[in-house]
Amino acid sequence: MSDPIATDPNAGADVTPDATAKPPVRIFLVVVDESPELQLALRYACLRARKSGGKVALLYVIEPGEVQQWLALENLMREEQRAEAEQKLQKLARDVNRLTGTLPALYVREGNRRDEVLALIDEEPSISILVLAAGVDPEGPGPLISYFTNRGLAKMRIPLTIVPGGIGIDALDAIT
């Protein structure tokens, strides 16, 4: 009977990791919306990316409209929303570049915001951290945070970082 180890071509080979291999780049995903907390999440993601040699990705989700009776009107509204999304992403991309020295990955999707966040995370294995900032309104931290800290957490394959909405820029800069 032959020794199974002796027939293994890798038996006895040095299995230490290659010292020249680079660790994967961390991608910090920020969901773009109209909330004032966006700036906190974006700044945190940029500072963490700069410090860790990572990058930032921005996701803008165009949610379905309420009125979908007339196709021509719906298509016109969708085109306007897409142009608005691209304009906002370009402005934020300049901010990211100023803070990190790199350009972010930009994504525009249509659908339910939380579903599209999960779909993008599943489709892009390089995305490694989702960064959200909590709202300070009395009605709660925001719909994405409420979802991802409850039922949605089980669907996540990456960590979630929540930036407190009441934190000041100086305090944010000090902790990153």
Side-chain angles (χ1 to χ4, degrees), residues 7-107:
T7 60
D8 182 358
N10 293 322
D14 184 14
V15 291
T16 56
D18 182 6
T20 61
K22 288 185 176 181
V25 174
R26 280 178 148 175
I27 306 288
F28 295 83
L29 176 62
V30 177
V31 180
V32 176
D33 60 14
E34 300 303 321
S35 72
E37 298 84 28
L38 168 62
Q39 291 303 319
L40 289 173
L42 185 63
R43 185 169 186 87
Y44 178 87
C46 288
L47 295 175
R48 291 293 302 131
R50 184 176 68 194
K51 197 166 254 184
S52 67
K55 293 191 178 244
V56 174
L58 303 175
L59 169 63
Y60 191 108
V61 178
I62 300 169
E63 297 199 86
E66 307 278 314
V67 180
Q68 297 182 357
Q69 294 176 5
W70 297 298
L71 187 59
L73 181 58
E74 181 184 344
N75 288 339
L76 179 60
M77 289 174 61
R78 184 178 289 130
E79 287 175 24
E80 288 175 358
Q81 288 175 320
R82 185 158 194 87
E84 192 177 298
E86 290 173 359
Q87 202 171 30
K88 180 149 185 128
L89 286 174
Q90 290 302 319
K91 179 195 175 301
L92 292 172
R94 286 189 294 274
D95 294 342
V96 170
N97 189 18
R98 185 176 42 78
L99 285 169
T100 67
T102 62
L103 292 173
L106 305 176
Y107 300 94

Side-chain angles (χ1 to χ4, degrees), residues 74-149:
E74 181 184 344
N75 288 339
L76 179 60
M77 289 174 61
R78 184 178 289 130
E79 287 175 24
E80 288 175 358
Q81 288 175 320
R82 185 158 194 87
E84 192 177 298
E86 290 173 359
Q87 202 171 30
K88 180 149 185 128
L89 286 174
Q90 290 302 319
K91 179 195 175 301
L92 292 172
R94 286 189 294 274
D95 294 342
V96 170
N97 189 18
R98 185 176 42 78
L99 285 169
T100 67
T102 62
L103 292 173
L106 305 176
Y107 300 94
V108 176
R109 301 189 96 148
E110 292 183 27
N112 175 282
R113 188 171 282 136
R114 70 181 186 207
D115 294 342
E116 293 303 323
V117 169
L118 287 169
L120 179 61
I121 289 169
D122 285 343
E123 293 166 15
E124 294 292 338
S126 60
I127 294 174
S128 52
I129 297 172
L130 174 60
V131 179
L132 301 173
V136 294
D137 295 333
E139 57 263 3
L144 285 180
I145 291 176
S146 295
Y147 176 73
F148 286 122
T149 56

